[in-house]
Amino acid sequence: MSAGAGRGPAAAGLIPIPALTHAPAAEVSRAPALANALLGQLDTEHPALSGSPDRERLLAAAWLAGYRSPRTRRAYAADLAAWLDWLTGLDVDVLDARRVHVDLWARHLLDSGAAASSTTRRLSAVTSFYHHLVDHDLLAANPAASVRRPKVDADHTTTVGLDRDQARAFLAAADADLGPARLRTAATARLLLHLGLRVDELAAADVADLGYDRGHRVLTVVRKGGRRATLPIPPATGAALDVYLAARPPGPDGGPPAGPLLATASGARLDQSALCKLVRRLARAAEVPQWSELSPHSLRHTAITLALDAGAPLRDVQDYAGHRDPRTTRRYDRSRGSLDRNAAYTLTAYLS
């Protein structure tokens, strides 16, 4: 198959670079302001792609610009970077890839131990990328469109969580933490475990997102798809948070501190990497055997599972977790299928 087979003419309305699909790096470097802005944003937000050639970076930047969710952009950028690395190892141009290359990549991911769900997401990212190129006449066909996805078990999750005793030990370890960040540590542990927050939701939260609603202390976060959710803050969580905020420098008018809800000593936003390290350090201090496998998402998994174990109705836990589909919440219900809760008993009593 000759190089360039299957490529379409570059769409003039996509990016103002003549013959983009064939443009050498020198020509791309002379791109106008729009292209430079896209490349600058890509390098800032997605360093995983910064080492790719200019043409690939520009294609990726234009594609990712269509996604509003920062979470989706980050995940898809990492997936595309993995795909580009795979093609580089095969000495295949990204615009010359065919279905066989995508099939081989999917098999490589699974053979390397990747979960079926992770492989499916990566294939979705690559499919979306090529759909974008086809949609803008940069390719004639999408090589990933018909690739078979691995079957994902909807009732299984590989996330490692904590049981009730381990969760209590985790919070105790946070309270016993020493050092200048101990107050922040105690507040962070409770925000993650009590509210079941996603790590990016907590990292992006500001002090201004705190408030009150119908007598409840609340925190407003941005969830998947850009949806805003207002979450109640339990008294124990609010107390730890207030102690931490009171120890921070006051705001411009001498009032509550401004800026990120969780800040470094310099006032910068505490990033997701720091939160992940904190979770593992506290889990290790709590003598959790699987501490090295934990992440902030493990605490979210724990929160949802323990809420169900505590007897909270599935509907309420679904709202608490921010799941659109109750089937997602059901995956965390360890007592599903219990004969003690079988609906036959409830129905029989109702008909008696």
Side-chain angles (χ1 to χ4, degrees), residues 88-156:
T88 298
L90 297 178
D91 195 25
V92 174
D93 187 279
V94 66
L95 298 178
D96 290 331
R98 296 294 177 262
R99 172 174 172 170
V100 64
H101 299 116
V102 186
D103 283 330
L104 288 172
W105 185 53
R107 179 179 297 180
H108 164 74
L109 292 174
L110 293 171
D111 290 346
S112 299
S117 57
S118 298
T119 301
T120 297
R121 191 204 66 230
R122 287 196 163 187
L123 289 174
S124 295
V126 171
T127 301
S128 172
F129 172 70
Y130 281 112
H131 177 80
H132 173 85
L133 300 186
V134 171
D135 196 43
H136 289 281
D137 297 326
L138 297 176
L139 280 181
N142 185 339
S146 299
V147 171
R148 294 183 179 87
R149 270 55 169 171
K151 186 175 181 179
V152 178
D153 185 352
D155 292 327
H156 176 70

Side-chain angles (χ1 to χ4, degrees), residues 230-322:
T230 299
L231 309 176
I233 301 176
T237 308
L241 183 60
D242 287 341
V243 170
Y244 161 59
L245 293 177
R248 280 175 51 178
D253 300 325
L261 183 62
L262 300 179
T264 64
S266 64
R269 190 176 299 278
L270 195 67
D271 61 27
Q272 296 183 33
S273 175
L275 288 169
C276 186
K277 292 177 182 177
L278 175 63
V279 167
R280 291 183 178 175
R281 180 169 64 81
L282 293 179
R284 188 176 188 180
E287 300 183 351
V288 176
Q290 68 274 29
W291 66 267
S292 63
E293 303 174 47
L294 297 183
S295 68
H297 187 69
S298 301
L299 298 188
R300 172 173 166 80
H301 176 94
T302 298
I304 298 170
T305 301
L306 293 183
L308 290 167
D309 288 352
L314 179 68
R315 179 183 61 187
D316 294 344
V317 178
Q318 179 188 350
D319 291 341
Y320 163 74

